[in-house]
């Protein structure tokens, strides 16, 4: 059976050296404190709701604390919801994440993190989201101690809903501050102060929004102004041809003529 379903105002304390994985937790936990939870790796489809809980870590283990990847090929929806929780001193989860839902077969896994706060989690990945998981929502989470906490995506496919998570992902700045690697996701927008423009990541490049494309013979678009051409003073046909070819060359360089 599922065991305890709800837990409120409880303390779950594990030793600093804890290496025991949990395959079950109460489905709904509220106002609880967890010390040194090694990792929660359910072997069956178990949803989880954690509200107003505190998670403390004093261990050096690098294991993912909450991991949906143990579930191979979900056949029904799984929801993990963390709201107004606090995470303390997770400093070794710098790659796989404190919460992970990156399995290739976990398209039905949904992770929502809302209003959570992280303290002293130096360089940690808060949530690691995979290419198959298009059900990730992050709302108003914060890295309170400015410890370099990030969110991890697959930058060619992941399409999360992100609102007010600026502590984790910078969305305004110069080109050197622009997100790179797995801090990007398809559809991410960034205000580039170098050019005063809004850009969007499409999975392979940053594209300037609302900016005309270069004109082609088939597409209307942006061209440059041609350099000046002096009035012709030709006195014969050969001179007119020379002046005309000079003008034609400048129009081609400017993109006016193909």
């Amino acid at each position: 059976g599922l065991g305890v379903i709800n837990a409120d105002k409880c303390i779950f304390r594990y030793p600093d050296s804890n290496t025991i994985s949990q395959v079950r937790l109460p489905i709904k936990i509220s106002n609880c404190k967890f010390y040194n939870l090694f990792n929660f790796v359910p072997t069956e489809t178990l949803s989880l709701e954690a509200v107003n809980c505190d998670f403390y870590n004093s261990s050096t283990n690098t294991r993912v604390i909450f991991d949906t990847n143990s579930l191979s090929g979900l056949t029904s929806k799984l929801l993990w919801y963390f709201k107004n929780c606090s995470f303390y001193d997770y400093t070794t989860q710098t790659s796989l994440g404190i919460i992970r839902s990156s399995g290739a077969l976990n398209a039905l896994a949904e992770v929502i993190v809302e209003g959570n706060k992280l303290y002293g989690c130096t360089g940690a990945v808060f949530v690691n989201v995979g290419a198959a998981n298009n059900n990730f929502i992050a709302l108003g989470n914060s890295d309170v101690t400015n410890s370099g906490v990030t969110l991890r995506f697959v930058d060619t496919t992941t399409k999360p809903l992100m609102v007010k998570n600026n502590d984790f992902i910078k969305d305004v700045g110069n080109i050197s501050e622009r997100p790179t690697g797995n801090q990007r996701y398809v559809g991410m927008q960034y205000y580039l102060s170098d050019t005063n423009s809004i850009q969007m990541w499409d999975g392979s490049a940053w594209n300037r929004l609302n900016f005309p494309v270069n004109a082609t013979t088939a597409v209307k678009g942006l061209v440059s102004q041609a350099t000046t051409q002096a009035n012709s003073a030709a006195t014969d046909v050969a001179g007119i041809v020379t002046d005309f070819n000079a003008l034609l060359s400048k129009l081609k360089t400017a993109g006016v003529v193909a």
Side-chain angles (χ1 to χ4, degrees):
L2 295 177
V4 177
I5 304 299
N6 301 324
D8 180 53
K9 298 178 182 178
C10 296
I11 295 176
F12 297 80
R13 186 180 294 274
Y14 304 93
D16 291 354
S17 57
N18 179 40
T19 57
I20 299 175
S21 298
Q22 306 294 130
V23 297
R24 289 193 178 94
L25 284 176
I27 294 175
K28 293 185 177 181
I29 51 178
S30 57
N31 305 298
C32 293
K33 296 182 183 296
F34 286 79
Y35 295 86
N36 300 315
L37 176 65
F38 182 59
N39 68 326
F40 174 50
V41 283
T43 55
E44 55 189 300
T45 305
L46 291 177
S47 291
L48 175 66
E49 179 181 311
V51 179
N52 298 324
C53 292
D54 295 330
F55 298 93
Y56 298 88
N57 181 58
S58 59
S59 173
T60 58
N61 81 76
T62 59
R63 295 296 295 273
V64 177
I65 307 306
F66 297 96
D67 196 358
T68 71
N69 286 17
S70 58
L71 299 168
S72 299
L74 291 174
T75 57
S76 59
K77 186 175 180 179
L78 171 78
L79 172 61
W80 283 10
Y81 180 42
F82 297 82
K83 181 177 182 180
N84 297 335
C85 294
S86 296
F87 296 81
Y88 296 88
D89 301 320
Y90 288 93
T91 59
T92 55
Q93 284 69 23
T94 56
S95 177
L96 300 181
I98 297 173
I99 302 168
R100 180 170 68 168
S101 185
S102 62
L105 300 177
N106 285 359
L108 290 174
E110 182 172 358
V111 175
I112 301 175
V113 288
E114 179 182 359
N116 301 286
K117 297 180 178 180
L118 288 87
Y119 299 85
C121 298
T122 305
V125 172
F126 181 30
V127 185
N128 178 2
V129 187
N133 191 322
N134 292 322
N135 304 307
F136 173 57
I137 301 174
L139 306 171
N141 302 282
S142 59
D143 177 11
V144 178
T145 50
N146 296 316
S147 301
V149 177
T150 62
L151 299 171
R152 179 172 179 170
F153 310 98
V154 176
D155 66 341
T156 56
T157 52
T158 309
K159 297 179 181 179
L161 172 61
M162 303 282 294
V163 179
K164 294 183 178 179
N165 300 280
N166 293 342
D167 286 347
F168 301 148
I169 298 180
K170 192 174 181 66
D171 58 8
V172 176
N174 60 41
I175 195 166
S176 66
E177 298 172 305
R178 193 170 59 185
T180 59
N182 55 34
Q183 294 182 26
R184 300 173 298 201
Y185 55 87
V186 172
M188 169 183 268
Q189 294 188 13
Y190 183 82
Y191 181 82
L192 183 62
S193 59
D194 296 346
T195 57
N196 294 319
S197 63
I198 299 175
Q199 301 186 332
M200 184 173 71
W201 178 252
D202 68 2
S204 60
W206 289 99
N207 297 303
R208 187 170 177 175
L209 295 181
N210 301 320
F211 191 74
V213 298
N214 289 334
T216 68
T217 56
V219 178
K220 294 180 180 180
L222 185 68
V223 296
S224 299
Q225 187 179 48
T227 56
T228 186
Q229 174 71 18
N231 293 336
S232 177
T235 58
D236 54 25
V237 173
I240 293 174
V241 170
T242 298
D243 288 346
F244 175 78
N245 285 339
L247 174 62
L248 187 61
S249 176
K250 292 176 180 179
L251 292 176
K252 287 182 177 180
T253 299
V256 177
V257 178

